[in-house]
Amino acid sequence: MESAEEWDRCLGWTFELISEDPVRRERARGRLRVTQDRRSKALYAFNEVWRDEELSAADQAGGRYIAERGRTLPDALWEFIPAESYADWGGLKYVLLYLEWEARYPDEWIASAKSWGTKHGQLHDLARAVPYLATELIDQLVDLICLAVRREHRCEDEGYAVLARVVGGLRLRRLLLEIADDRRHSACAR
């Protein structure tokens, strides 16, 4: 997918995955299951055609598979984007959505679209892209880092430490100190 409009057309509905309304989240997870099923069927069809048919038929089936992959998470995020192009990439907000979904609703994320490799890769790609990102995107990364720090540690979370070191800044340090103070006060109250 090239343009932000294409990303929104294919994946705009995924923002319901982080809705505070559990009914809306469940409906979105149902739609995600449908898109993942369609992707799996397209991959199966591609493999069958590749084995049994000519190259042009395999190219068509491969194109269908790639199109279906672009309509579901985490598969749509599986492309290489140079760090200097991240800020203009239409998929960036879906990377942030994917990571926020894992941070806010980890059980739903695991049940529906867990990919530790995608999480790992995207956190490291974001860290490489920080010098090219606008202030409002850096603010979103700060919020995402704080979400991850506030919750229980999860697989591949070391990527947030890498990201935090690159993001830096007074705002992030202040928020991390507040989180640490809150934890100390909670521990003392027990």
Side-chain angles (χ1 to χ4, degrees):
M1 289 183 282
E2 295 296 318
S3 71
E5 292 79 23
E6 287 178 88
W7 279 91
D8 291 344
R9 184 178 44 75
C10 291
L11 290 171
W13 60 271
T14 60
F15 280 92
E16 294 294 317
L17 293 167
I18 58 172
S19 169
E20 291 185 15
D21 180 352
V23 172
R24 291 171 74 180
R25 283 197 321 274
E26 184 55 38
R27 211 174 19 240
R29 287 177 56 221
R31 185 166 179 186
L32 182 65
R33 285 188 291 275
V34 168
T35 63
Q36 290 171 338
D37 187 50
R38 287 174 56 188
R39 182 250 1 249
S40 295
K41 287 178 181 175
L43 178 59
Y44 180 80
F46 169 69
N47 287 333
E48 288 296 303
V49 169
W50 182 260
R51 188 186 70 204
D52 297 335
E53 303 289 331
E54 71 224 34
L55 192 55
S56 65
D59 284 345
Q60 288 178 337
R64 282 193 303 276
Y65 165 65
I66 290 169
E68 292 301 334
R69 203 179 78 182
R71 292 181 176 90
T72 194
L73 289 176
D75 304 46
L77 307 176
W78 295 348
E79 63 181 280
F80 173 76
I81 304 299
E84 62 275 6
S85 301
Y86 238 68
D88 299 321
W89 179 43
L92 177 57
K93 68 182 179 181
Y94 296 100
V95 168
L96 298 174
L97 162 87
Y98 186 71
L99 295 170
E100 182 177 344
W101 182 27
E102 190 257 348
R104 289 188 187 276
Y105 306 104
D107 293 339
E108 293 175 12
W109 182 85
I110 283 176
S112 301
K114 172 189 78 167
S115 175
W116 301 119
T118 301
K119 176 184 174 181
H120 171 85
Q122 292 303 332
L123 286 169
H124 286 277
D125 288 350
L126 283 168
R128 285 196 334 268
V130 164
Y132 306 100
L133 299 179
T135 303
E136 59 271 3
L137 285 170
I138 299 296
D139 288 343
Q140 286 180 281
L141 294 178
V142 166
D143 294 341
L144 190 58
I145 291 165
C146 289
L147 266 176
V149 169
R150 282 188 177 98
R151 65 167 167 71
E152 183 178 314
H153 176 78
R154 300 178 54 75
C155 185
E156 299 300 339
D157 275 354
E158 72 276 354
Y160 284 107
V162 172
L163 186 59
R165 279 193 295 273
V166 175
V167 167
L170 231 51
R171 179 173 175 250
L172 178 59
R173 282 192 286 279
R174 182 182 47 78
L175 291 169
L176 292 175
L177 284 171
E178 287 175 14
I179 293 168
D181 285 346
D182 289 346
R183 286 190 175 161
R184 272 193 297 274
H185 291 275
S186 294
C188 290
R190 289 184 209 158

